[in-house]
Amino acid sequence: MTVRDAISAPDAQGKPRRTTRRFPLFTRDTARPEGGGRAAPGDAPAPARQWPILTVLSAVALGLLLTAFDAFRVGTILIGAALLAGALMRWMLPSVGMLAVRSRFTDMLTYSVLGLAIVVLALMAQPNPLLEIPFLDDTLHFTVR
């Protein structure tokens, strides 16, 4: 009785390779995330091909600049809104370039949760919060004070 090693699909030269249960030391290829293609045709200039991520990063940079110039609440709300806009673009557009990092669902969930958390925390920031959530104050009272 002969024991044969498991083989994988053929490589680029058409030869089957031996597979093991171990992960390879070096990753040779990865699948592009869904929607990770160029957002504009290949003959467009580089910034135009990546306009979705440049839009989000520009809005975040503007929010950080506003925060640095003492407009804390407006700046952080802009940062959160930029992440929410990134989630919306990831949902609506078929190709978003480098804004696509993982699967569409994971990207949308990550951008949405982080954006919403930043906006809510900016609205709750002291002094003079625009949003007050009573049970959070009670929780804080019993845990910290």
Side-chain angles (χ1 to χ4, degrees):
M1 183 166 122
T2 305
V3 177
R4 293 180 30 178
D5 289 335
I7 58 173
S8 69
D11 61 8
Q13 286 77 29
K15 297 179 187 175
R17 293 179 294 165
R18 180 174 174 259
T19 60
T20 66
R21 295 180 60 129
R22 293 183 182 178
F23 290 105
L25 290 176
F26 302 102
T27 303
R28 289 185 173 76
D29 61 346
T30 56
R32 175 184 283 173
E34 176 191 352
R38 294 179 174 138
D43 58 348
R49 290 192 304 255
Q50 297 297 332
W51 70 267
I53 191 134
L54 289 176
T55 302
V56 172
L57 289 176
S58 299
V60 168
L62 181 61
L64 289 172
L65 189 64
L66 288 172
T67 303
F69 287 126
D70 275 345
F72 170 76
R73 195 178 312 268
V74 174
T76 51
I77 288 174
L78 183 60
I79 292 169
L83 288 172
L84 291 172
L88 186 67
M89 281 190 274
R90 188 68 174 100
W91 178 49
M92 306 243 343
L93 300 176
S95 293
V96 290
M98 290 179 13
L99 191 62
V101 179
R102 292 173 184 83
S103 70
R104 188 175 303 255
F105 175 78
T106 303
D107 286 343
M108 285 175 22
L109 184 70
T110 304
Y111 294 144
S112 299
V113 168
L114 290 175
L116 190 62
I118 290 171
V119 168
V120 168
L121 290 173
L123 293 174
M124 293 174 60
Q126 297 290 333
N128 305 320
L130 299 175
L131 177 66
E132 293 185 23
I133 302 176
F135 74 88
L136 287 179
D137 190 39
D138 295 339
T139 304
L140 184 65
H141 176 74
F142 289 116
T143 57
V144 178
R145 294 181 194 168

